[in-house]
Each structure stands twice: as structure tokens, then as C-alpha cells.
Amino acid sequence: MMLPLKLNFLITHPHLTFIVLLLSTLTLFLFQFFAAKSRRRVFLVDFACYKPPESQKCSRESVVNRARQHGYSEENLNFMAKVMQRVGVGDSSYVAQSIMCVPPNVTTEAAREESESVIFGAVDTLLAKTKVDCSEIGILIVNCCVFSVFPSLSSVIVNRYKLREDISSYNITGMGCSAGLRVIGLAKQLLEVHPNTFALVVSTENVTSSAYTGTERSKMLANCLFRIGGSAILLSNKPSHRESSKYELLHAVHTQTASSDVSYRSIFRDEDAEGYTGGKPVLDALQKNLGFTDAHMEASTMTLHRFGNTSSSSVWYELAYVEAKDRVKKGGRIWHIAFGSGFKCSTVIWRALMDVRADEKNPWMSDIDDYPVELDNDGSFPFYFQPAKQQ
């Protein structure tokens, strides 16, 4: 009885039907509006970058000399020297302890030791800076592209720091150099639905497991460019942490295309260096295509020179450089952008919540006054081939 009466009422009263539809639409709009307004804001409390001991510092000359000890031919040694002359890595970057051995120790055990030393070093520094209680960390995200083991690196962190049993834990692999920002986007999404908690994000790479001891030139490039490094970032959605946090996360956008070789288009190639590589040529192409100034590129090029390419953690050494130079002022915005294989591009925008002053745990503080350096005049490094023995 009620259904026919209701239908008849709606049909014979068109104005009232319009009003009901309008009210329904308005209700939906208001719901979405207030839901967006109530979305939890995400703050970057602080971050830390791992700085290896001085015993692991390795100059370009040392890299070539070690390759000579491994039996590389004069032709391949010459190739490595030319690559390192052009990619923008200086003489103060660090390699894993396992690579310092002759021959290098590239076992899984050695790779795990490297990852643990980097991760624990970064996380210990971060916890010391923030004084956060590990029981308050509700989300853990770890990314390492080439080193995927059991138990996972995220499990290692949970056990090491006695994180809570109900923690939301993620272990990301295979995402390339852009993963350091991609996981920030993941953390943002998780913090928007998990109230009143911290998210610990760890970005690193493993040099031991990616080291190449053969003679195929395209694979030798990684030995010339990538170095040891890692970062730990603490995010929070607690409103009370706004005043003590460095930055607020405004945007996180990620793009992926189907092409597998786009990331190696804007780089160098010549008749003496077969194949492609990254490093400074990629940064130069990016600067040209996006119209950036030398000042815009300074943090990236100087990080590459000082620490080498540390893959997904590079963007955090760059932010540490800007902080060490006292260039972060309250209200200023910072654009993080990273490219990775796949081809992937991740971009994150932060707003500074304070004038940031670098502390003694900043990895740049011991030599920040020596930078920037002029890369075009960095000079060739001393490199001499051993003469072939006469038969």
C-alpha cells in the first residue's frame, strides 16, 4: 500500500522531487567537504642519514686499483676511469666493508651485515634525535630495491627495536631510485586512516648484493656510480606534534610509464664508453629540460659528489645539505623529485614549519664549508696502468 502511494506522490509533485534531489546532493557534498577537512595532517618530525666510518671512504683511484687487483684488463680499467671522471662522484664517497676485501665478499651474509649496519645506524641516530618511544610507532615501511631476503629487513627492524606486535609493517623491493619518495606516499595514505601514531620509514640500498665482478661493461657501471647509504624518517599524524616537527607533507604524486629504458635517454654516450649510465649527465639533462638554475641543482650535484649515488636515500642527503646550508626557512616549500627504473617518477612537496637549524648529527656538518665545489674543474684523478710484463 505505501509504495504505490509514494510513487504517485513523487510523480504528481515534480517540484518536491527536485527539492529532495537537491538536498541529497547537498548532503553528499557537505559530507565529502567535512571528510576532507577532517583528514589527518601528516608531519615530518625529523630524519637521519647514515654516515659510514672513515675507514670505508674510497676514492675513484682506489676503485680502479681494486678493479686491477681483481684482474680487470687495461681496456676495462680505462673505461671505468672515464666513467667515474664524468658521472660526478668525488673522492670522499663510501663503499661497503665487504667491497674493501680482496676479493670482494659478495655473500648473502655480507650483504645482510651491510644492510644492518646502515639501517641500524640511521634509525639509532633518528631515535636519539627525536626521543620517541618505540611503542608509539604504529607503521613501519622499509624499501631496498635489490636485496630481498628472509627474514625481511622490516622484520629485522621490528625485532631489533622491539616494535609493537600489532605494527603495520611493509617491506618494499624492486622499486628503484624513486622508492624513497614512493614510500612517503604510502606512509601518507596509512597515516590518514591510522589515528594518533608514528610512521617509521627506512630507505636504503645494498652495494654488496649489486656489486659486479665480471667484465661486461654495462654491468660495471654500477660499481662506478653507486655507494653505501641509507636514511630513516619519522612521520606523525598527531596534531600535538605540529609545533615540534620540521615539515608538513602537502602533496605526494607518483607516475609510472610502460617503457623500461626511458630513464636512460637523457644521459651521455660516446665511442669510448659503451652503454649508458646515470649520475651527473642525468642531472644536467634534467636541469636543461626543466629550466632549473645551478642553484636549484646544487643539493643534488653536491650530494652525488660527496656521497655518490645512494639510490632511494639520495633525496634525504640532499635535504640534509640544504639544512646544513641554513636555507630552510619557516613557510618555505621544498620539492622532492626522484626518478627510477620502470620508468617511475615520484614527487613530494613539503612546507617548512620552522627555521631549520642543522645539528651535529647531520652527515654534512664536518665538511659543509667545503661545498659547493666546481664539478667541471674537479680535475682528473691520478690513474696509472701497470705496464705489461715482458714475456
Side-chain angles (χ1 to χ4, degrees):
M1 294 293 292
M2 294 299 293
L3 183 57
L5 287 175
K6 184 176 182 181
L7 289 175
N8 182 64
F9 180 80
L10 291 175
I11 293 172
T12 56
H13 297 81
H15 296 294
L16 185 57
T17 302
F18 172 77
I19 293 174
V20 171
L21 292 174
L22 180 62
L23 290 174
S24 299
T25 303
L26 181 60
T27 301
L28 179 61
F29 171 78
L30 291 174
F31 174 80
Q32 294 176 338
F33 175 79
F34 285 109
K37 293 292 288 184
S38 61
R39 185 174 298 160
R40 295 181 179 89
R41 299 166 69 181
V42 177
F43 307 108
L44 193 164
V45 181
D46 211 336
F47 68 96
C49 297
Y50 175 67
K51 186 176 181 180
E54 292 299 293
S55 61
Q56 292 179 228
K57 187 175 289 187
C58 193
S59 66
R60 295 169 292 178
E61 182 183 10
S62 296
V63 173
V64 175
N65 286 334
R66 291 180 186 280
R68 178 189 289 112
Q69 293 176 322
H70 303 332
Y72 276 37
S73 67
E74 180 175 318
E75 184 181 7
N76 282 336
L77 291 172
N78 186 53
F79 167 77
M80 291 184 64
K82 287 187 176 182
V83 169
M84 286 191 292
Q85 187 66 38
R86 303 181 187 185
V87 295
V89 178
D91 290 324
S92 298
S93 60
Y94 305 89
V95 300
Q97 190 64 46
S98 58
I99 306 299
M100 308 286 284
C101 303
V102 180
N105 181 5
V106 292
T107 63
T108 300
E109 291 75 15
R112 183 179 286 280
E113 289 178 4
E114 176 198 333
S115 286
E116 290 182 354
S117 65
V118 173
I119 291 174
F120 296 161
V123 175
D124 287 349
T125 300
L126 178 65
L127 295 178
K129 292 173 67 174
T130 61
K131 310 297 183 184
V132 66
D133 191 321
C134 289
S135 64
E136 296 183 80
I137 300 175
I139 299 168
L140 171 65
I141 306 174
V142 183
N143 75 269
C144 182
C145 181
V146 300
F147 188 54
S148 180
V149 290
F150 177 84
S152 66
L153 296 178
S154 59
S155 297
V156 170
I157 294 176
V158 170
N159 293 328
R160 162 84 175 197
Y161 296 97
K162 310 300 181 188
L163 301 182
R164 44 203 262 189
E165 294 182 355
D166 64 340
I167 192 169
S168 297
S169 178
Y170 299 82
N171 198 86
I172 310 298
T173 62
M175 293 292 290
C177 296
S178 66
L181 298 184
R182 182 65 187 90
V183 292
I184 294 297
L186 174 59
K188 178 178 183 292
Q189 294 174 350
L190 293 171
L191 286 168
E192 288 176 350
V193 296
H194 293 277
N196 200 40
T197 192
F198 287 104
L200 174 61
V201 178
V202 178
S203 293
T204 187
E205 195 45 84
N206 192 280
V207 176
T208 301
S209 61
S210 62
Y212 179 67
T213 57
T215 58
E216 187 176 334
R217 289 189 174 183
S218 62
K219 297 179 181 179
M220 291 166 55
L221 298 174
N223 299 344
C224 301
L225 181 62
F226 288 96
R227 298 292 185 266
I228 188 173
S231 58
I233 304 97
L234 188 66
L235 303 172
S236 173
N237 58 14
K238 299 182 180 182
S240 60
H241 289 160
R242 183 187 185 282
E243 296 301 321
S244 58
S245 297
K246 286 184 174 181
Y247 306 97
E248 180 179 0
L249 177 56
L250 300 182
H251 303 287
V253 181
H254 313 283
T255 303
Q256 180 167 335
T257 66
S259 176
S260 61
D261 65 342
V262 176
S263 58
Y264 297 110
R265 292 293 187 187
S266 300
I267 46 183
F268 81 87
R269 184 175 188 175
D270 63 39
E271 65 275 9
D272 296 322
E274 296 178 2
Y276 295 91
T277 186
K280 190 175 183 297
V282 172
L283 296 177
D284 290 342
L286 180 67
Q287 178 178 4
K288 178 180 178 181
N289 292 331
L290 296 184
F292 291 157
T293 65
D294 290 342
H296 290 142
M297 302 300 298
E298 181 182 326
S300 299
T301 54
M302 294 304 103
T303 295
L304 181 65
H305 183 271
R306 175 63 180 85
F307 292 98
N309 187 331
T310 62
S311 190
S312 60
S313 66
S314 293
V315 291
W316 297 102
Y317 288 89
E318 293 162 10
L319 182 55
Y321 177 88
V322 176
E323 291 185 353
K325 283 295 186 181
D326 196 25
R327 295 174 183 172
V328 180
K329 305 302 179 183
K330 183 177 181 179
R333 299 196 179 192
I334 296 173
W335 179 19
H336 257 154
I337 182 170
F339 301 97
S341 59
F343 167 76
K344 305 178 187 71
C345 177
S346 296
T347 182
V348 171
I349 297 178
W350 309 91
R351 178 172 58 214
L353 299 176
M354 61 175 68
D355 293 345
V356 177
R357 298 287 184 268
D359 55 40
E360 71 281 357
K361 299 183 184 299
N362 186 301
W364 286 95
M365 292 312 291
S366 61
D367 48 9
I368 189 61
D369 292 337
D370 298 331
Y371 287 86
V373 297
E374 180 55 60
L375 295 184
D376 293 335
N377 297 323
D378 198 29
S380 60
F381 55 93
F383 175 61
Y384 304 99
F385 295 112
Q386 295 292 336
K389 293 183 178 180
Q390 298 294 329
Q391 298 295 328

